Amino acid sequence: MRLFDLRVIIAFLFGLYGVVLVVVGLGFTSEDDLRKAEGVNINLWAGIAMVVLAAVFAAWATLRPQFAKTGKG
Amino acid sequence: MRVLAEADLRLDAGPIDYALLVIYFVVVLGIGVMARRSVSSSLDFLLSGRSLPAWVTGLAFISANLGALELMGMTANGAQYGMATVHYYWIGAIPAMVFLGLVMMPFYYGSKVRSVPEFMRRRFGKPAHLVNAISFAVAQILIAGINLFALAVIIDALLGWPLPVSIVVAALVVLAYTTLGGLSAAIYNEVLQFFVIVAALAPITILGLIKVGGWQGIVDKVTDKEQLSAWPATELTGIDNPVWSVIGLVFGLGFVLSFGYWTTNFAEVQRAMSAKSMSAAKRTPIIGAYPKALIPAVIVIPGIIAAVIVPEMAQLKAGDTSSGVVYNNVLPLLMRDLLPNGILGIAITGLLASFMAGVAANVSSFNTVFTYDLWQDYIKKDRPDEYYLRVGRLATVGACVLAIGTAFIAAALGGSNIMDYIQALFSFFNAPLFATFIVGMFWKRMTPTAGWVGLLAGTFTAMFIYAISEPSFGIKWLELPGQGASFLGAGLAFAVDVVVSVAVSLVTRPKPDSELVGLVYSLTPKEDRSHATTGEDAGWYRSPALLGGGVLALTTVLYIIFG
């Protein structure tokens, strides 16, 4: 059975989440938000971490495709 | 002064948080729809056609266990007992997971059985099989219901949705993707869920650490200094003598309870059985062991921090229950106090994802046991495969409907206590099951009669110990607060099962050797137990033994640093 590549889905979801959080972090962070999170712009940092995670999975899926060898998988 | 205790947990979720939640549900359902295309047989549907790579099954293995009860329960234990909670992740999981991979998977995967009960049938015949299959199926439905109920309670507290609405909506989402895509959809979503949960817990932990003043802040502010070290965990075990407490932990939790749970629970083992090769199957629980060893950092630590920085939690810890907060509220309280909108949406998504994955694991293992072990073995034999694929799909629907039913029963009975009893009830099967498996795998003389007699004897022993030690039953022959009673019950159940199995085997007739090939160690040729080391299983870093040794070493180092 040939199932689609999960790494692509992970890259997609976290890429989207990451971009949304970076935008919220850069553009829509109030003083209250900052105070709540101990002065850390947590949306921005979490967003960046998610974009990195997405990039890692995207790179892995590109460099080592799931069905490279025929007959298996 | 707040009047309503529940109102304390209400989160200030905004449009952005709901949007992130909706995106997740769309992806989850999308996985179900896409996975459907590759389902063409019952084995595809119920066991992913044994085609998944080890990293996927390994993360699903750990994620299936990272359900609602686990997440809420272990953060709560962190707040209540401190560092001792790490035992559930380290000694209470890692050795058993490595053992499952290296010692037991060769028989589970090599014999090509499709479920743990099926192994039971081939090794011990029908009586033992029926006991195992029925108890497992019933347990999964009840536990799925408990998970649904827990989910609904938390959605109600966090977002204010009525209980029945959340129960039905969550059940329908799980139903939709598991009926469509079967085990593949469940497993893919479990892996996705793993990352979302970590993405939810990591910011909580980091902000919590900053707020409390780093590790030194924890050391300074935790009032009960014993809670900063994992040993001897006298509070957790309820055993005052430190030496006996450690023995109880190592033998009760580390050996019997943990081996019983991880090596015989089909909801877990099924993930490894769906791997694409013997090597991948062996690596599944071992790959899962690495995140298992590290994840207390974002579960136990936030619990400890919450007991210091959340005012209601600190009050509770000091014995003041007036705020209405209970230890299980650790995560929602931290989310409320630390997370701004945006990342709050991710955290809510992570919590809901964890609850749903728990239900999905129950449902997807139930439908396999129901279809192959009950329907195919006892009701309609020898039908074409499409028939069993249809049965599998219908069993999924049935499981979800029944789970909604048990969730409402749980709600009507007033919640968690009664469900704790049911959880305990089914834990009675694990320790004896492990004893029966391990004796049966290594001693060919063990007879079919010994299989089911030993199992029942062990289970009754566990029930007896529970009955005389559970305070609310009023018998109270044995007084062990904390977890001590369940350690003792499991330990005795294991011992009784072994003794009875050996005794009964000596006076009954064993199966002929020819029927036990692939099921018993001494009768299985070495080639059948070993894995290929070519193609996608090549490379030293894919050696199950090396990976297993690595995670045991990692756990030892963690104990030295944090013990």
Side-chain angles (χ1 to χ4, degrees):
Chain A
M1 109 184 232
R2 288 168 71 96
L3 204 57
F4 58 96
D5 194 338
L6 177 61
R7 293 170 296 185
V8 178
I9 310 284
I10 294 175
F12 168 77
L13 180 71
F14 281 95
L16 189 59
Y17 272 4
V19 169
V20 170
L21 287 186
V22 167
V23 170
V24 172
L26 288 178
F28 303 92
T29 299
S30 66
E31 284 302 309
D32 268 0
D33 289 342
L34 280 179
R35 206 173 312 121
K36 198 173 188 182
E38 297 298 305
V40 179
N41 191 337
I42 190 71
N43 279 330
L44 178 63
W45 287 110
I48 291 172
M50 286 179 194
V51 170
V52 171
L53 179 75
V56 168
F57 272 94
W60 183 17
T62 316
L63 295 174
R64 301 277 296 265
Q66 191 164 256
F67 303 114
K69 298 180 202 75
T70 46
K72 262 207 127 184
Chain B
M1 273 274 288
R2 290 193 181 86
V3 186
L4 279 175
E6 301 94 69
D8 289 353
L9 296 176
R10 189 65 45 85
L11 296 173
D12 199 8
I16 183 78
D17 303 312
Y18 280 106
L20 293 169
L21 184 60
V22 169
I23 291 173
Y24 184 75
F25 279 91
V26 170
V27 171
V28 162
L29 292 174
I31 286 178
V33 173
M34 286 189 289
R36 188 184 201 299
R37 281 197 238 133
S38 43
V39 173
S40 52
S41 70
S42 70
L43 199 67
D44 285 349
F45 185 75
L46 297 169
L47 225 46
S48 297
R50 296 190 214 272
S51 67
L52 300 176
W55 73 271
V56 169
T57 52
L59 287 179
F61 188 93
I62 210 59
S63 214
N65 171 254
L66 205 58
L69 300 166
E70 157 85 15
L71 213 52
M72 307 301 266
M74 288 301 154
T75 44
N77 279 339
Q80 193 173 0
Y81 301 116
M83 280 305 278
T85 311
V86 296
H87 293 307
Y88 288 105
Y89 291 87
W90 296 347
I91 198 164
I94 307 297
M97 292 166 82
V98 172
F99 185 83
L100 170 65
L102 296 182
V103 181
M104 294 179 77
M105 271 333 282
F107 300 100
Y108 279 146
Y109 197 86
S111 63
K112 293 287 168 206
V113 294
R114 297 163 300 180
S115 69
V116 169
E118 187 170 338
F119 185 89
M120 206 69 179
R121 177 171 62 78
R122 301 240 326 249
R123 177 64 184 84
F124 297 114
K126 288 194 167 165
H129 175 241
L130 259 183
V131 172
N132 187 206
I134 291 175
S135 67
F136 180 80
V138 172
Q140 292 309 302
I141 293 295
L142 288 173
I143 296 170
I146 301 171
N147 270 322
L148 271 180
F149 172 68
L151 168 80
V153 169
I154 203 74
I155 298 183
D156 179 27
L158 296 179
L159 305 172
W161 300 5
L163 230 58
V165 174
S166 351
I167 290 179
V168 173
V169 167
L172 285 180
V173 172
V174 169
L175 175 65
Y177 72 76
T178 44
T179 330
L180 286 168
L183 184 65
S184 306
I187 285 184
Y188 268 26
N189 276 322
E190 280 159 11
V191 175
L192 200 60
Q193 171 234 352
F194 173 79
F195 289 104
V196 177
I197 290 183
V198 173
L201 293 174
I204 295 178
T205 311
I206 292 168
L207 293 177
L209 273 173
I210 295 174
K211 186 160 187 176
V212 80
W215 183 253
Q216 194 55 44
I218 296 181
V219 174
D220 292 343
K221 287 172 192 157
V222 169
T223 41
D224 181 355
K225 298 299 175 202
E226 265 185 35
Q227 294 209 341
L228 290 170
S229 59
W231 303 100
T234 45
E235 265 188 288
L236 186 78
T237 56
I239 304 170
D240 289 333
N241 182 321
V243 176
W244 282 106
S245 178
V246 170
I247 292 172
L249 267 179
V250 173
F251 188 74
L253 178 67
F255 182 58
V256 184
L257 277 182
S258 138
F259 278 65
Y261 176 81
W262 292 101
T263 62
T264 64
N265 182 353
F266 180 56
E268 292 295 335
V269 176
Q270 185 182 27
R271 269 82 199 137
M273 284 181 176
S274 66
K276 65 182 175 183
S277 67
M278 172 73 96
S279 168
K282 285 182 178 176
R283 273 182 281 139
T284 294
I286 297 170
I287 289 176
Y290 283 87
K292 185 77 181 175
L294 297 173
I295 211 162
V298 292
I299 293 182
V300 180
I301 302 287
I304 297 176
I305 295 175
V308 177
I309 64 170
V310 177
E312 294 99 319
M313 205 44 81
Q315 276 175 21
L316 175 63
K317 192 127 174 150
D320 173 5
T321 54
S322 62
S323 68
V325 157
V326 293
Y327 283 114
N328 273 333
N329 299 144
V330 164
L331 275 182
L333 288 169
L334 285 174
M335 284 158 66
R336 180 199 68 183
D337 286 356
L338 296 173
L339 301 183
N341 293 107
I343 194 74
L344 178 64
I346 304 283
I348 294 173
T349 306
L351 269 190
L352 298 196
S354 125
F355 284 74
M356 288 200 319
V359 180
N362 301 138
V363 169
S364 60
S365 55
F366 167 85
N367 63 15
T368 305
V369 167
F370 181 84
T371 306
Y372 285 148
D373 290 293
L374 295 173
W375 199 264
Q376 189 175 29
D377 279 349
Y378 297 100
I379 299 179
K380 299 270 187 207
K381 285 180 191 172
D382 304 322
R383 295 293 176 97
D385 187 67
E386 303 89 77
Y387 174 82
Y388 295 110
L389 174 57
R390 207 160 57 239
V391 171
R393 284 219 156 87
L394 288 173
T396 310
V397 178
C400 287
V401 172
L402 288 172
I404 293 178
T406 44
F408 279 111
I409 294 173
L413 288 172
S416 56
N417 271 348
I418 193 86
M419 288 297 138
D420 286 346
Y421 297 143
I422 290 174
Q423 285 268 31
L425 185 70
F426 287 104
S427 72
F428 298 155
F429 287 94
N430 283 337
L433 201 53
F434 172 60
T436 299
F437 266 93
I438 208 70
V439 176
M441 270 182 185
F442 289 96
W443 191 41
K444 65 176 184 176
R445 179 74 180 72
M446 185 168 171
T447 64
T449 316
W452 67 270
V453 175
L455 208 52
L456 287 181
T459 302
F460 284 126
T461 307
M463 287 180 177
F464 176 72
I465 298 292
Y466 183 69
I468 63 168
S469 62
E470 169 61 40
S472 58
F473 290 173
I475 304 177
K476 288 191 199 166
W477 291 348
L478 195 68
E479 286 196 45
L480 278 175
Q483 294 289 311
S486 64
F487 294 173
L488 179 69
L492 279 179
F494 179 86
V496 167
D497 186 309
V498 171
V499 170
V500 169
S501 296
V502 171
V504 173
S505 290
L506 293 175
V507 295
T508 47
R509 182 195 297 272
K511 280 183 133 186
D513 287 2
S514 59
E515 288 179 24
L516 297 175
V517 174
L519 306 171
V520 177
Y521 184 82
S522 60
L523 298 174
T524 308
K526 194 158 189 304
E527 311 86 77
D528 292 0
R529 282 185 275 117
S530 22
H531 52 273
T533 50
T534 53
E536 292 188 349
D537 294 327
W540 60 268
Y541 58 92
R542 290 204 180 96
S543 154
L546 187 77
L547 288 167
V551 76
L552 290 175
L554 171 69
T555 310
T556 311
V557 170
L558 287 170
Y559 261 129
I560 292 170
I561 300 174
F562 295 102

